């Protein structure tokens, strides 16, 4: 009887630092109550509640920023959550994604004569899952966050009941997601076997002394590999990308935007967290894996994107190649002996934040072009957009150019950041490969632009309406894209602090 | 006796697992799954994880597989599928080879690494020590100290499950009722 | 004589690995989403077994706690997954992943 | 080796000295006794039910076979055994054959954790000495006892479900789907009211639960405040598919329900299982809420039956208490009309589950206030208020959703 | 004196920044202008482009002739975190390119009608001007790269939106080729900045700091040089990376072709001078044989390919390949004469090839074909047109007295000592140029007029004015190149000195005395 009977003292709970989570939870409660108590709310209100919740959560996260600056990064809540700028930035990205996607969804549901609070609740739960992933300091917590996020996404992907593609996308995503979760979990189990803990800081401590875990411990090696496989599925890195195009195409467009933004942010943050705070002493073991994944993702993503004719599929492949870029940043961060390795972390996180806005903007336009029913996403459906809706077309052009990495857009700043990080640790090969492959990728964006501007519209294309909220999202995203492209200083200032991770 | 239990349970587990993969009728597959789950519950018991064994049976056998069966029966998809036609040329052997390779990797890992598994512990108290509820008590302690966050996140997870099902299952007026069987 | 052989944790671990492999085969080979899904459950169970075996081996309770959470996750996953399958099957009763032709893979 | 036996059979002091012949013999004896008692009790239960209902309906009931018609069940049983064993053509043979056993075995398994007697008064926690060995008057006392019961009852669904499905016929299928939905639904309420008991007693083991109910005041029905007991009783009735929740075999709608296609010995297994389950469930209720084999005692006075060994006396108390509940079940059957299916589901989901959850929260709040030395006078009203608000919200939501459903068309 | 005053004035007025922002704001204004008032749109475009031209003239006027360093510099912190600044400056090398840019754009805007989508056309054109200006003026690697890449976007849309049949293909090819080059350059730029940290102690993208203060290992510098060189080689375009150019030129609208030939191609050659030689002198010297060979190959290939073209515009495009080969030849000779010639030739090629494209565009306007075989005897129908064509063509061939001669001659003479055999081979390019251009002229303008060409209209007054500006520039520079050379020379000398110092080799032979050509003489006088 080691435990004297009934005196469990639970961990102290830093309520203040959990504000964003509570705000999101509050939003969920409000939406669910409202959804169940009132017969039907007037249009747009559900979406606005959801996005306001996200915005408030975002602001509260920003308010925490200075608090965290003053106190050192540390683990809170029974050492299960990490409190550092990294987590806060991830939270900001995710909240921004919820904010924008809720607005998109609002118009989307109106157009397809559907409404209800459920999808927004799922956005918010997904956000909570994502934030937990970003902030987790324990593999089990990470896994639970991952599942919360993933399950929300599965449902969201399948949520359009009028399109069989949507449900098929949900199913495909679900099966492969569950499959990858199992791998991730097995990885956790093996790492647990090697280190006797699932706590990330604990793993780091265990691995720091060579006595407790030998250098060539097979459990750790295989466990690391399996965890990487699981996370690579989630970030859609080649060769674990096969679900992406189908799911992106099938899911409702605002949901696709959400998957590509918040989903990616959370998964990448988790990948960074696992690799860099738990396993930094074993970089030599896993860096080559990241290297290969990065290269394959960029090249294969770009190459396959070119062969597509459906814009959502194209963007899916392009997101794969973007994932490759971010992996380049992780690869750069995996040089703990270099003084500049931290730039890899901040590079990736900046990339994620910028890509979040960028990709949501892109999909916002795609969603509008998809028209009622959310089906018109072939390249030919974009014909004549430039003539019909020049402002929209211009915004799309800005987004596409930014994705291609043209200077004076946020996309360029993002790419510049990771490439710089890679060059700083002398990973020239991957940097050059990434840049060259991005040229192939640029072809894809050009194809869309050709359809938009240079080809005449076909007769059967119905006119495109731009509802207010979606228009707002597009405008905000476009302005953000340009502003960051021109004056990125303030953002870079902030993201430089991200490199200080809890437990390092 | 422990060996005997292990062999029986392992036989259950493997037979059940093979049943899931090989049986063509989904109901039979689900029953095989139950067999596996029971085998695993027995193994939990023999590893002195009584609480998990009970939860395993309650959750898996009592809820999960029942749900499976429910769906199968409700949708009337219980006809046997033809295992021959579903093969996709090279895909099946490839998958099997891949999986075999993976298992080989894992087994090698386990055999190689078993000695390095850290044996020193600060106390997993088993029932042997005379504390009747030791296992449950320890798990409770672990859940409400180290993993309290995880525990709270679980609630969100369950919200997702509930809301998700509502989204997926609810029908609108505009959609036609296509299901033949209703409960 | 046989009774003197006591199964060690390694046995359980290996059994878990084999079970995981069988589940993997199931996901990769079968085309019925329900059965693929069951195979995923097999994989999760394999992990559970591994966790418990390691927990015993390391004399550390946290492995068992992890299993507890995995069980919760599995339950939630099943609910959602079956929801999706039901939603699809209501459109057509006979389903195989290969039949999901609307999306070319 | 010790570990495994301990784990499998529960902590029985029998095995403190390792595996010996005598203890093994005792265990086997216990198994046999429990099994035989089960069978006989079932037989008597059937007779009891018929007789009691007949009495309530001003009939005589079985009176031909044996004294008071006591052997009627035996006669019925023998007849059933010799009937032709039919396998419907469209049935799934394997599952069709398997299902009755899946129904029958759990019914008996659950009985294993019921403390059947023993002296809880001497501070020994119900441990008695037989043949020079210390043991409990119960087949097994695993640390997870109550969970075990719950697990077993969740397995009982399979028998019914598969029986209906494997018959390859429409009515049994509908019956079994109904039954399993019902059982799964009410299991939640059952578990939640069980949780209240666990919260109060602080243990999952059945002997521990019994041990904590030494006087009438500490019987769990009092300690948990009656509500969990009521919910448990209702849910248990639903779990058993007994009237008024016997929609499974609603004759008017579904012929015989899930077992329509069954005949002969397989049918008798279902039949046995049903009554065995009733007995087991009564025993569980007694164990959980009414002190099991503990005699009634108020304050320091104990209703002690003179001249009988304390541990044997426990068994008598238990049987007496169980009989009360068996009678209650029969009474239900005789007096209550059958629910409609939607009413059944509404009762389960919209009333019992929330109520048991709310009560559980209340108990937890009280417990927390106790531990933290908070003022109960503030905590309790506050928690009641919170729960009330939630309840009102819920009712409003139900109303809104039924309105929605009317306007949008029914779901599922 | 005047220069002195305006120089100090420029301290207060950021003239270079204005050069970039005036067209940029013009572009935005054009976008925002009403669709219903196209005349306003045109006016805005005109005002901003002419304003830019005015600014560039003002800058030219106040330029210190004898100063070889950067003038009118404007330096502000931009992205402090990465050591990136807004650093602009102009010297003799970029001066005339800036002026050329400033002048060419209003001409194109005034003189060439895009037929449809005026608003967008003008907006892209002005954005293009801002981009080109920025590229020529940037003294920060990051800034340069930004402008260098930005230029692609408007050009892509100009070719794709207003070009001919194969426009999308050509535009895409142009975009991807150039972007591929810049992919390497970006990595090179970052690597330069990061590696310079070793010697500087901090990360900066400032060109002047990097070139003057940072030091790289020999091998490192060579790698970095190549990273830059690939981008510039594509842009120039250097053989064998030139295949995008004929397509882009042929398919681009006339205005696009003029701009493309006039200034865009110069980004490559300018880049070699500014970022190749200046940053990595040793590596540039080391790579000299390679680039000379490629340059000469380009000269010959371009000439031969031009000879075989059936399409008049394609012919001019190939002639560009040849001409730019000369410029690269001059660049990698590392003598101040050759370099000055190269810079001269950049401007001259801009004027004469621009004019040629303009003329070809006019032919297409009239005849809707560019096939040489379908054109015949135009001289008799449109004599003034033919005359203008003749003058421009002769300038392109390099006939003494016209501008083309000055640059080519300086290049050849300046490179002779350092790169004798290459020069010898390259000179044949001059002869070939005469061959294909004259032959083309003969086929198009001489001979009997057939029915299709009989109604070929004579030049309009507006076109006439436009051509006259070009021809005036051609003749003036050809006859009196001194004002240009005197401004180019000091900067080039500084550059050559820098190269010599860093590479430890001497290139500048004492050959100034030997020169007899008038241009050389003037240059000699200027040198003293």
């Amino acid at each position: 009887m080691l435990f004297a009977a009934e005196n469990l003292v639970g961990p102290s709970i830093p309520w203040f630092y959990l504000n964003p989570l509570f705000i999101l939870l509050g939003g969920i409660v409000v939406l669910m109550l409202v959804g169940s108590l009132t017969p039907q709310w007037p249009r747009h209100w559900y979406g606005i509640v959801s996005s306001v919740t996200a915005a408030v959560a975002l602001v509260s996260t920003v308010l925490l920023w200075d608090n965290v600056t003053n106190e050192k990064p540390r683990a809170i809540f029974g050492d299960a959550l990490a409190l550092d700028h990294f987590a806060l930035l991830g939270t900001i990205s995710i909240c921004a994604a919820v904010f924008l996607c809720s607005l998109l969804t609002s118009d989307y549901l109106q157009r397809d004569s559907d409404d209800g609070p459920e999808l927004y609740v799922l956005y918010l739960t997904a956000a909570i899952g994502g934030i937990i992933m970003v902030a987790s300091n324990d593999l089990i917590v990470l896994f639970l966050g991952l599942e919360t996020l993933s399950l929300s996404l599965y449902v969201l992907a399948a949520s359009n009941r009028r399109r069989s593609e949507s449900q098929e996308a949900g199913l495909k995503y679900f099966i492969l997601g569950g499959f990858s979760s199992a791998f991730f979990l097995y990885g956790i189990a093996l790492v647990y076997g090697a280190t006797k803990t699932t706590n990330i800081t604990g793993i780091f401590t265990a691995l720091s002394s060579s006595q407790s875990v030998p250098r060539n411990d097979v459990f750790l090696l295989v466990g690391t590999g399996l965890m990487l496989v699981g996370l690579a599925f989630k970030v859609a890195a080649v060769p674990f990308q096969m679900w992406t195009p189908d799911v992106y195409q099938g899911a409702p467009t605002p949901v696709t935007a959400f998957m590509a933004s918040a989903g990616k942010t959370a998964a990448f943050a988790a990948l960074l967290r696992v690799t860099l705070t738990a396993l930094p002493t074993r970089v030599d073991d896993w860096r080559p894996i990241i290297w290969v994944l990065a290269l394959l993702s960029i090249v294969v993503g770009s190459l396959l994107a070119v062969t597509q004719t459906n814009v959502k599929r194209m963007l899916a492949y392009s997101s794969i190649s973007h994932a490759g870029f971010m992996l380049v940043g992780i690869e750069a961060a995996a040089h703990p002996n270099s003084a500049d390795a931290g730039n890899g972390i901040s590079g990736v996180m900046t990339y994620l934040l910028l890509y979040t806005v960028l990709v949501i903007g892109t999909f916002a336009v795609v969603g509008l072009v998809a028209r009622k029913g959310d089906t018109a996403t072939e390249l030919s459906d974009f014909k004549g957009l430039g003539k019909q809706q020049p402002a929209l077309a211009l915004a799309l052009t800005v987004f596409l150019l930014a994705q291609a990495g043209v200077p004076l857009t946020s996309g360029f700043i993002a790419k510049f950041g990771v490439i710089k990080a890679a060059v700083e640790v002398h990973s020239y090969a991957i940097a050059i490969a990434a840049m060259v492959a991005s040229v192939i990728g640029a072809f894809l964006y050009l194809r869309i632009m050709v359809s938009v501007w240079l080809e005449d519209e076909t007769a059967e294309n119905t006119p495109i309406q731009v509802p207010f909220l979606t228009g707002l999202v597009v405008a905000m995203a476009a302005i953000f894209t340009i502003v960051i492209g021109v004056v990125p200083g303030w953002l870079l200032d902030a993201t430089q602090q991200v490199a200080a991770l809890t437990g390092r | 006796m422990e060996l005997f239990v292990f062999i029986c349970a392992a036989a259950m587990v493997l037979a059940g697992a093979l049943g899931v993969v090989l049986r063509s009728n989904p109901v039979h597959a689900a029953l095989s799954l139950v067999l596996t789950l029971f085998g695993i519950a027995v193994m939990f018991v023999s590893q002195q994880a009584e609480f998990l064994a009970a939860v395993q049976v309650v959750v898996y056998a009592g809820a999960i597989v029942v749900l499976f069966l429910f769906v199968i029966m409700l949708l009337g998809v219980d006809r046997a599928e033809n295992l021959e036609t579903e093969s996709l040329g090279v895909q099946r052997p490839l998958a099997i080879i891949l999986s075999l390779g993976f298992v080989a990797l894992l087994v090698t890992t386990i055999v190689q690494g078993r000695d390095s598994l850290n044996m020193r512990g600060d106390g997993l108290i088993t029932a042997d020590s005379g504390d009747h509820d030791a296992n449950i008590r320890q798990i409770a302690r672990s859940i409400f100290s180290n993993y309290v966050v995880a525990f709270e996140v679980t609630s969100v997870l369950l919200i997702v499950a509930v809301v998700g099902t509502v989204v997926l299952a609810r029908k609108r007026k505009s959609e036609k009722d296509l299901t033949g069987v209703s409960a | 004589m046989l009774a003197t052989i006591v199964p060690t944790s390694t046995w359980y671990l290996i059994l878990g690995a084999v079970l995981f492999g069988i589940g993997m085969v199931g996901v990769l080979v079968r085309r019925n989403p329900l059965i693929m899904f069951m195979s995923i459950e097999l994989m999760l169970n394999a992990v559970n077994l591994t966790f418990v075996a390691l927990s015993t081996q390391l004399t550390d309770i946290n492995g068992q706690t992890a299993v507890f959470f995995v069980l919760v996750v599995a339950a939630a996953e099943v609910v959602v997954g079956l929801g999706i399958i039901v939603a699809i099957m209501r459109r057509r009763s006979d389903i195989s992943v290969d039949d999901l032709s609307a999306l070319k893979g | 080796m010790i570990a495994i036996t301990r784990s499998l059979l529960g902590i029985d002091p029998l095995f403190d000295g390792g595996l010996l012949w005598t203890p093994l013999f005792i265990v086997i004896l216990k198994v046999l006794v429990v099994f035989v008692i089960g069978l006989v009790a079932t037989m008597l239960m059937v007779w009891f039910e018929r007789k009691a209902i007949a009495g309530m309906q001003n009939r005589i009931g079985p009176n031909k076979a044996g004294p008071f018609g006591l052997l009627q069940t035996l006669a019925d049983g023998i007849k059933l055994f010799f009937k032709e064993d039919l396998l419907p053509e469209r049935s799934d043979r394997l599952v069709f054959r398997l299902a009755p056993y899946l129904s029958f075995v759990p019914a008996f398994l659950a009985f294993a954790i019921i403390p059947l007697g023993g002296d809880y008064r001497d501070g020994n926690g119900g441990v008695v000495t037989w043949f020079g060995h210390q043991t409990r008057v119960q087949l097994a006392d695993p640390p997870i006892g109550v969970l075990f019961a719950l697990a077993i009852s969740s397995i009982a669904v399979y028998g019914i479900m598969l029986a209906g499905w494997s018959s390859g016929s429409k009515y049994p299928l509908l019956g079994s789907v109904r039954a399993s939905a019902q059982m799964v639904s009410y299991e939640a309420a059952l578990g939640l009211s069980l949780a209240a008991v666990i919260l109060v007693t602080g243990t999952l083991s059945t002997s521990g639960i019994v041990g904590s109910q030494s006087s009438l005041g500490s019987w769990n029905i009092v300690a948990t405040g009656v509500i969990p007991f009521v919910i448990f009783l209702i849910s248990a009735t639903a779990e058993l598919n007994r009237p008024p929740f016997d929609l499974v075999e609603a004759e008017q709608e579904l012929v015989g329900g899930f077992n329509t296609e069954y005949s002969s010995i397989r049918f008798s297994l279902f039949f046995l299982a049903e009554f065995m389950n009733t007995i087991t469930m009564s025993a569980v209720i007694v164990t959980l809420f009414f002190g099991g084999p503990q005699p009634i005692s108020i304050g320091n006075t104990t209703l002690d039956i003179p001249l009988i060994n304390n541990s044997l006396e426990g068994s008598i108390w238990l049987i007496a208490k169980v009989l009360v509940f068996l009678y209650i079940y029969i009474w239900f059957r005789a007096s209550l009309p059958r629910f409609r299916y939607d009413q059944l589901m509404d009762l389960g989901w919209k009333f019992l589950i929330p109520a048991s959850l709310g009560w559980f929260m209340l108990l937890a709040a009280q417990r927390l206030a106790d531990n933290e030395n908070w003022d109960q006078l503030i905590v309790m009203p506050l928690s009641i208020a919170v729960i009330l608000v939630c309840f009102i919200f819920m009712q409003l939501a139900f109303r809104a959703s039924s309105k929605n459903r009317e306007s949008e068309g029914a779901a599922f | 004196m005047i220069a002195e005053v305006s120089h100090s004035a420029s301290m207060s007025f950021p003239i270079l920044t204005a050069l970039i922002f005036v067209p940029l704001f013009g572009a935005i204004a054009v976008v925002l202008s009403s669709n219903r008032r196209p005349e306003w749109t045109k006016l805005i475009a005109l005002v901003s482009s002419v304003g830019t031209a005015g600014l560039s003239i003002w800058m030219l006027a106040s330029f210190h002739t004898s100063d070889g360093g950067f003038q009118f510099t404007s330096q502000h912190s931009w992205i402090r975190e990465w050591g990136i600044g807004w650093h602009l400056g102009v010297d003799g090398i970029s001066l005339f390119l800036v002026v050329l840019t400033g002048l060419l754009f209003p001409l194109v805007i005034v003189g060439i009608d895009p037929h449809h989508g005026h608003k967008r056309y003008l907006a892209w054109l002005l954005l293009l001007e801002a981009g080109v200006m920025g590229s020529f003026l940037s003294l920060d690697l990051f800034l340069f790269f930004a402008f260098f890449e930005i230029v692609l976007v408007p050009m892509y849309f100009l070719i794709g939106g207003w070009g001919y049949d194969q426009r999308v293909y050509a535009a895409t090819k142009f975009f991807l080729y150039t972007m591929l080059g810049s992919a390497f350059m970006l990595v090179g730029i970052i690597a330069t900045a990061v590696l310079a940290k070793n010697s500087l102690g901090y990360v900066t993208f400032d060109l002047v700091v990097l070139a003057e203060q940072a030091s790289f290992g020999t091998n490192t510098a060579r790698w970095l040089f190549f990273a830059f060189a690939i981008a510039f080689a594509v842009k120039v375009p250097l053989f064998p990376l030139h295949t995008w150019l004929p397509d882009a030129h042929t398919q681009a609208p006339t205005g696009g072709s003029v701009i493309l030939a006039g200034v865009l191609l110069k980004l490559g050659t300018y880049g070699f001078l500014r970022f190749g030689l200046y940053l990595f002198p040793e590596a540039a010297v080391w790579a000299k044989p390679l680039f000379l060979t490629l340059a000469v190959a380009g000269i010959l290939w371009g000439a031969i390919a031009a000879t075989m073209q059936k399409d008049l515009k394609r012919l001019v495009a190939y002639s560009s390949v040849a001409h730019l080969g000369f410029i690269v030849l001059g660049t990698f000779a590392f003598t101040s004469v050759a370099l000055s010639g190269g810079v001269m030739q950049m401007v001259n090629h801009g004027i004469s090839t621009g004019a040629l494209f303009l003329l070809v565009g006019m032919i297409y306007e009239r005849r809707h074909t560019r096939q040489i075989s379908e054109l015949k005897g135009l001289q008799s129908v449109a004599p003034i047109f033919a005359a203008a064509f003749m003058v421009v063509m002769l300038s392109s061939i390099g006939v003494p007295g016209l501008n083309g001669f000055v640059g080519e001659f300086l290049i050849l003479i300046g490179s002779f000592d350092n790169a004798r055999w290459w020069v010898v081979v390259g000179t044949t390019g001059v002869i070939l140029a005469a061959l294909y251009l004259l032959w083309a002229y003969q086929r198009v303008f001489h001979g009997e007029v057939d029915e299709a060409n009989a109604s070929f209209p004579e030049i309009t007054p507006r076109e006439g004015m436009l051509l006259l500006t070009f021809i005036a520039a051609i003749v003036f520079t050809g006859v009196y190149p001194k004002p240009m050379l005197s401004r180019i020379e000091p900067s080039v000398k500084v550059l050559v000195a820098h190269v010599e110092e860093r590479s430890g080799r001497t290139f500048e032979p004492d050959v100034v005395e030997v020169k007899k050509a008038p241009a050389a003489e003037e240059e000699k006088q200027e040198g003293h």
Side-chain angles (χ1 to χ4, degrees), chain E residues 97-112:
Chain E
L97 292 170
V98 171
V99 175
L100 178 66
T101 310
L103 294 177
L104 210 50
F105 274 89
L107 289 178
V108 168
I109 286 174
V110 175
I112 299 162

Side-chain angles (χ1 to χ4, degrees), chain A residues 136-144 184 187-188 191-192 197-200 203 227 274 278, chain B residues 147:
Chain A
S136 61
N137 195 37
D138 189 292
L139 293 177
I140 293 296
V141 177
L142 179 67
F143 176 69
L144 280 167
F184 182 61
I188 295 181
V191 170
Y192 168 72
T197 176
T198 58
N199 189 290
I200 287 177
I203 292 170
M227 284 207 294
V274 168
Chain B
Y147 291 104

Side-chain angles (χ1 to χ4, degrees), chain A residues 140 143-144 147 151 154-155 158 161-165 167-172 174-175 178-179 181-183 185-186 188-189 192-193 196 219 246 249-250 313, chain C residues 17 20 24 27 33 36-37 40 43-44 47 50-51 54-55 58 60 62-63 66 69-70 73 76-77 80-81 84-85 87-88 91-92 100 102-105:
Chain A
I140 293 296
F143 176 69
L144 280 167
E147 284 297 318
L151 286 181
Y154 303 150
V155 178
R161 288 183 303 276
R162 292 202 182 81
R163 285 176 61 221
S164 58
E165 294 98 326
Q167 284 152 6
E168 289 170 14
L171 183 64
K172 201 159 210 169
F174 174 77
I175 299 266
F179 194 55
S181 293
F183 279 92
L185 204 56
Y186 207 110
I188 295 181
Y192 168 72
K196 211 186 142 196
F219 269 71
D246 286 347
Q249 188 193 348
R313 288 181 87 82
Chain C
F20 195 87
M24 200 170 149
V27 177
M36 292 170 87
F37 195 6
I40 290 175
M43 294 167 79
L44 288 181
V47 178
T50 308
F51 259 124
L54 286 171
S55 162
L58 303 171
D60 177 72
N62 290 334
F69 287 115
V70 175
V73 166
E77 210 172 60
V80 168
I84 295 174
I85 292 175
I88 294 187
R91 288 172 173 273
R92 44 195 150 133
L100 303 183
L103 297 170
K104 46 192 190 300

Side-chain angles (χ1 to χ4, degrees), chain D residues 111-379:
Chain D
F111 212 74
I113 52 143
I114 308 288
L116 297 172
D119 183 10
Y120 284 83
R121 274 174 285 178
D122 57 2
N124 232 345
V127 176
V128 297
T129 310
W130 287 352
F131 309 109
H133 288 275
Q134 294 213 313
T135 184
R136 287 205 167 89
V137 194
Q138 108 188 57
L139 190 51
D141 180 26
I144 44 149
V146 186
L147 281 182
F148 181 78
L150 213 56
I152 294 301
S153 88
S154 64
I155 289 169
V157 184
Y158 283 96
I160 294 173
M161 205 166 188
L162 293 174
W165 172 78
S166 64
S167 300
S169 160
K170 194 188 269 174
Y171 291 122
L173 180 63
L174 284 179
S176 72
V177 169
R178 270 189 185 188
S180 31
Q182 174 182 338
M183 292 172 81
V184 169
S185 312
Y186 277 85
E187 209 170 278
L190 195 80
L192 279 169
S193 48
L194 198 72
V197 175
I198 297 169
L199 182 72
V200 168
T201 54
T203 176
L204 289 174
S205 118
T206 43
S207 66
I209 288 173
V210 169
S212 73
Q213 310 179 67
S214 49
S215 71
L216 195 60
S218 61
W219 276 11
N220 280 335
I221 180 168
V222 183
T224 59
V226 189
I227 304 280
F229 161 68
V230 175
I231 294 170
F232 195 93
L233 183 66
I234 299 174
S235 327
T237 319
E239 277 288 285
L240 296 171
N241 296 320
R242 279 188 66 91
F245 301 106
D246 61 340
L247 286 102
V248 182
E249 38 198 284
E251 295 88 351
Q252 297 89 332
E253 303 157 29
L254 299 176
V255 192
F258 67 89
N259 55 17
T260 306
E261 302 287 349
Y262 279 87
S263 63
S264 182
I265 190 164
R266 289 193 235 283
F267 175 78
S268 64
L269 284 178
F270 279 117
F271 196 75
L272 269 180
E274 194 180 323
F275 282 90
M276 185 65 209
N277 270 328
T278 313
I279 297 169
T280 312
M281 201 51 99
S282 305
V284 169
I285 292 176
V286 168
T287 308
L288 290 181
F289 293 97
F290 292 91
Q294 299 244 39
I296 297 172
S297 68
I298 302 159
N300 288 329
T301 39
T302 307
L303 285 178
D304 194 18
I305 305 170
L307 302 178
I308 297 180
N309 178 316
N310 270 359
S311 60
L312 198 56
E313 190 194 329
S315 307
I316 294 173
W317 275 112
L318 182 82
I319 290 167
K321 289 172 184 173
V322 168
L323 271 176
V324 172
F325 280 94
L326 288 179
Y327 186 75
I328 289 178
Y329 278 126
I330 295 167
W331 200 358
F332 280 171
R333 176 172 208 162
S335 44
L336 293 175
R338 187 181 293 142
F339 273 78
R340 217 171 55 217
Y341 195 73
D342 62 322
Q343 291 172 332
L344 173 99
M345 282 294 169
D346 277 359
L347 177 70
W349 285 104
K350 295 186 182 170
F351 184 74
L352 291 183
I353 292 177
S356 52
L357 188 63
W359 197 260
F360 177 76
M361 299 308 273
L362 207 63
L363 287 176
Q366 188 231 342
R367 190 71 185 268
L368 183 69
D370 242 15
N371 282 357
E372 307 273 320
N373 283 328
W374 291 341
D375 193 346
Q376 293 278 10
L377 281 178
I378 301 171
V379 173

